[in-house]
Amino acid sequence: MNTTMTTTMSTKTTAPAPTGALNASRTTATAARVLRQLRHDPRTIALLILVPCALLLLLRYVFDGSPRTFDNIGASLLGIFPLITMFLVTSIATLRERTSGTLERLLAMPVGKGDLIAGYALAFGILAIIQSALATGLAVWFLGLDVTGSPWLLLLVALLDALLGTALGLFVSAFAASEFQAVQFMPAVIFPQLLLCGLFAPRSTMHPVLEAISDVLPMSYAVDGMNEVLRHTDMTATFVRDVLIVAGCALLVLGLGAATLRRRTA
């Protein structure tokens, strides 16, 4: 009997447990699994990669008689479209894994919450790189978007915006019980930022209360960063500030996503 108890206790104590620190192998394994699943979902891949390009193409010919208007808003939308599509796809895909029990089974294994969130972010980040590169190349070299600065800086901001959308999608998926509810978060999370980011009117001309709110919304700095590239040949201090704020917000939201990751599905 004592031998049996000793063996049982030994088995329990030697079971691996996830640590707080990120583990590269667990993170990459999670990312590889997500990418394998996405590979069998062509509609999601089309939404992620082709829709932003199609919207930019449509916008260019909406303003076919006024190409200067396309130059003024095209750069801003180059950052906004990837953010919106990554938010939508990431929130729904993550929620699907919550409701199917996949996340619960993974969290029962020696995988930390940080490993899971980082793995999802890495997988969708790879798609974000492809998406941002295609959209930026299409806008600058095919649609003739006239930018004063380097197109590579446009690509950098577009990529950070896509990663921010990924982080927001991972975060809000914790508060939705169904895919329909995940979609409902878009008007609450994305639309206010879209209205206050300076796309429709300069933020300095808004009501002081709305201007103050816009100052704490990350999409405002994404649009400001795009406009800096549009107007200046060199990298400005304002551009660096905008990029750091967008990147910092993405990391902060990813951290919140890891903190709200539950071990039990609804």
Side-chain angles (χ1 to χ4, degrees), residues 87 180-195:
F87 170 84
F180 179 69
Q181 288 186 7
V183 175
Q184 287 179 317
F185 273 103
M186 179 174 284
V189 176
I190 299 298
F191 286 179
Q193 297 192 67
L194 186 63
L195 294 174

Side-chain angles (χ1 to χ4, degrees), residues 73-248:
I73 68 173
S76 299
L77 292 177
L78 186 59
I80 292 174
F81 287 159
L83 190 155
I84 293 175
T85 55
M86 293 303 296
F87 170 84
L88 182 62
V89 171
T90 306
S91 59
I92 293 176
T94 308
L95 179 65
R96 189 178 300 166
E97 297 224 320
R98 290 177 186 272
T99 56
S100 66
T102 301
L103 278 179
E104 186 176 359
R105 291 192 295 271
L106 289 173
L107 288 171
M109 300 170 64
V111 178
K113 293 182 179 181
D115 297 319
L116 284 177
I117 291 295
Y120 279 102
L122 178 59
F124 285 106
I126 292 172
L127 293 175
I129 292 174
I130 300 172
Q131 178 197 71
S132 301
L134 288 176
T136 303
L138 175 70
V140 175
W141 289 294
F142 183 75
L143 300 180
L145 180 66
D146 186 15
V147 293
T148 303
S150 171
W152 294 106
L153 296 181
L154 278 184
L155 176 60
L156 173 62
V157 181
L159 175 58
L160 289 176
D161 293 343
L163 293 176
L164 176 62
T166 298
L168 289 171
L170 289 170
F171 176 62
V172 303
S173 68
F175 305 100
S178 66
E179 294 180 14
F180 179 69
Q181 288 186 7
V183 175
Q184 287 179 317
F185 273 103
M186 179 174 284
V189 176
I190 299 298
F191 286 179
Q193 297 192 67
L194 186 63
L195 294 174
L196 299 178
C197 68
L199 177 64
F200 300 104
R203 293 194 290 127
S204 59
T205 63
M206 296 179 184
H207 188 280
V209 174
L210 295 181
E211 183 182 0
I213 295 174
S214 72
D215 288 339
V216 299
L217 298 177
M219 190 182 290
S220 300
Y221 298 95
V223 171
D224 287 350
M226 287 294 191
N227 288 332
E228 286 294 305
V229 180
L230 190 67
R231 299 167 184 163
H232 299 89
T233 56
D234 299 322
M235 185 185 301
T236 64
T238 302
F239 174 82
V240 174
R241 180 208 65 183
D242 295 336
V243 166
L244 291 177
I245 289 176
V246 174

Side-chain angles (χ1 to χ4, degrees), residues 6-71:
T6 302
T7 303
T8 304
M9 293 176 61
S10 175
T11 302
K12 291 182 179 180
T13 55
T14 56
T19 60
L22 289 177
N23 181 281
S25 61
R26 294 195 296 254
T27 298
T28 53
T30 300
R33 181 184 61 81
V34 174
L35 289 173
R36 284 195 300 269
Q37 290 179 336
L38 289 174
R39 186 181 62 184
H40 299 293
D41 191 354
R43 287 177 297 182
T44 298
I45 295 177
L47 177 62
L48 282 173
I49 295 178
L50 299 181
V51 167
C53 295
L55 291 175
L56 285 170
L57 184 65
L58 176 63
L59 184 71
R60 169 62 182 84
Y61 291 104
V62 165
F63 296 110
D64 190 42
S66 179
R68 191 60 190 169
T69 304
F70 175 72
D71 291 337

